[in-house]
Amino acid sequence: VAVSYEWLKVLHVLAVISWMAGLLYLPRLMVYHCGCAVGSESDLTFQIMERRLLKAIMTPAMVVTLTSGLMLVWLGSWSLVDVWLALKLAGVFFLVACHAVMYRHVVGFARGERSYSARYFRILNEVPTLLMVVIVTCVIVKPFS
């Protein structure tokens, strides 16, 4: 089945929006979660919210983002030596790393771990935003081209 480049971009952008929404919301949930007593009703509610956000929205959106992005690179015959593309891909790599860190925290909360402060999660909440700025700038402006 032939997929047009434009429709693939639509899919990619929709997946990115969904993934970014989760990357920006999940740490905010964790800011409040870390203040809950282990085993409390609030703790269990946050665990459900975090797990569902991660498994039902974020991870599928990440997979679609990465898959469609790689297809766009291939179909667009982009040069992987272009600096803007290398920077964009580095930003995406770090978004995946943020996703993995958040996954680890969701598992930790489910185990009753409270190793990090609300301040830590507030800072973690800003990392995807900064990476998004880098990625969008690279895609739109194509610096160093």
Side-chain angles (χ1 to χ4, degrees):
V1 173
V3 177
S4 80
Y5 190 81
E6 289 76 22
W7 282 110
L8 191 56
K9 278 199 295 191
V10 168
L11 176 65
H12 183 69
V13 169
L14 291 172
V16 168
I17 290 168
S18 299
W19 187 29
M20 286 304 304
L23 287 169
L24 297 170
Y25 184 52
L26 186 56
R28 180 54 46 190
L29 288 174
M30 293 173 180
V31 165
Y32 301 112
H33 192 174
C34 68
C36 295
V38 175
S40 68
E41 186 175 335
S42 296
D43 175 44
L44 298 176
T45 299
F46 278 118
Q47 285 184 46
I48 291 168
M49 291 171 67
E50 292 161 356
R51 185 181 67 247
R52 287 182 181 168
L53 177 60
L54 188 66
K55 291 188 176 189
I57 297 171
M58 290 174 64
T59 300
M62 178 185 68
V63 169
V64 172
T65 296
L66 298 175
T67 303
S68 61
L70 290 173
M71 290 173 68
L72 287 168
V73 169
W74 182 66
L75 290 173
S77 300
W78 296 352
S79 173
L80 295 177
V81 297
D82 284 342
V83 175
W84 74 268
L85 184 56
L87 286 172
K88 179 197 181 206
L89 293 176
V92 172
F93 173 82
F94 285 111
L95 279 180
V96 172
C98 284
H99 187 105
V101 166
M102 291 179 199
Y103 176 85
R104 188 184 54 153
H105 290 309
V106 167
V107 170
F109 277 121
R111 290 183 184 152
E113 297 169 9
R114 298 296 188 273
S115 304
Y116 297 91
S117 68
R119 183 173 190 273
Y120 165 83
F121 289 113
R122 282 189 187 94
I123 293 168
L124 180 61
N125 192 209
E126 301 306 322
V127 174
T129 303
L130 296 173
L131 291 168
M132 179 178 59
V133 169
V134 169
I135 292 166
V136 170
T137 301
C138 288
V139 170
I140 304 298
V141 178
K142 293 184 176 48
F144 314 110
S145 292

